[in-house]
Amino acid sequence: MHLRLSELRPHLVSSRIFLMGPGAKTIETTGASYGEDSLIKFTPDLRLEPYATYWAGSGRHLVGLGSFSYTHSRLPLSTQVGRYSSIAKGVKVMGAMHPHEWASTSPVFYNRRLMMETFERDRGETPAYREFDYAPDPVVVGNDVWIGEDVKLGHGVHIGDGAVVASNSVVTRDVPPYAVVGGVPAKIIRQRFDEGTVNELRRSAWWDYSPTALNQLDVRDPGEFARGAIGLIEAGAIEPYRPAVLTGRDLAAAVAGVGSNTA
């Protein structure tokens, strides 16, 4: 579905969703450079948490973003991103799959769109179309992930929590948590931390908490940060961050409600 920015802005502002770029210096001016009639696309299943940020026009596709995550890249609508993740400019997801295991990879054997519809009409013949699901699986990006510039992501890849993807990489398979990967195709270069620290960071799931809940911890020391977070959580000293989630259905209903009230 798609709606005009002018219709969506009040609901994005109240939900603290930022569409940043030239002319947008406050939440109230979110999307200022887009144009009031710009169409913003999203799916009914969209899930957005407060303080998610879309830079450089990437908000024309509202993909699922967790709190404190941002993207500079316009990604497919099915993409899901966790919290505290950073996506640089130029990141793309590969297009539709082709059946490379068949005798031919050509879509004429499974896709009855304009080209083949015209062929049928011109020749009065109907080829046999075989079933093939060529829609790409969604890309899932975990929490605290950093994806560098001009990265290309394969169909349905999962980027694990804490992973780093080097610029100009082509990611064709899942990336393990806290791995640093790079190259064409991307391979593991190293782990961000030793195994014990990674296990403690994952056990803490610190991204389930707000930045202020973790104020007393020193983020510069990963091991101590993880152990401190676990201690606070086990002591019941901090509460998980559970903000209101804005869905695509919520957005559509809110805009429809405004329209009916002003009719």
Side-chain angles (χ1 to χ4, degrees), residues 172-194:
T172 58
R173 59 184 62 186
D174 292 353
V175 177
Y178 286 93
V180 179
V181 303
V184 182
K187 297 180 180 179
I188 296 177
I189 299 171
R190 61 180 175 86
Q191 296 294 323
R192 281 181 63 190
F193 311 115
D194 63 82

Side-chain angles (χ1 to χ4, degrees), residues 76 78 93-99 107 110-111 113 131-139 154-157:
S78 59
V93 176
M94 296 177 189
M97 290 286 291
H98 285 245
Y110 60 84
N111 187 341
R113 290 191 177 173
E131 186 173 347
F132 176 67
D133 184 6
Y134 49 89
D137 292 329
V139 167
H155 308 283
V157 297

Side-chain angles (χ1 to χ4, degrees), residues 15-18 47-54 63-71 80-87 141-145 206-212 214 240-246:
S15 297
R16 291 313 195 236
I17 307 300
F18 300 80
R47 291 178 60 83
L48 289 174
E49 291 185 338
Y51 312 108
T53 303
Y54 301 85
V63 302
L65 282 183
S67 291
F68 317 113
S69 288
Y70 68 82
T71 179
Q80 298 291 326
V81 181
R83 294 178 177 176
Y84 295 94
S85 287
S86 309
I87 300 175
V141 178
N143 304 286
D144 191 36
V145 171
W206 61 264
W207 40 81
D208 289 341
Y209 299 83
S210 75
T212 49
L214 306 170
Y241 175 65
R242 296 193 178 107
V245 174
L246 179 66

Side-chain angles (χ1 to χ4, degrees), residues 77-132:
L77 295 176
S78 59
T79 307
Q80 298 291 326
V81 181
R83 294 178 177 176
Y84 295 94
S85 287
S86 309
I87 300 175
K89 64 182 181 181
V91 176
K92 297 180 180 179
V93 176
M94 296 177 189
M97 290 286 291
H98 285 245
H100 56 82
E101 70 279 9
W102 290 11
S104 172
T105 60
S106 174
V108 303
F109 295 106
Y110 60 84
N111 187 341
R112 188 182 179 272
R113 290 191 177 173
L114 179 61
M115 176 173 63
M116 293 309 295
E117 286 179 345
T118 304
F119 172 87
E120 291 181 21
R121 186 169 61 249
D122 289 347
R123 301 191 45 103
E125 300 172 357
T126 303
Y129 298 103
R130 310 301 181 184
E131 186 173 347
F132 176 67

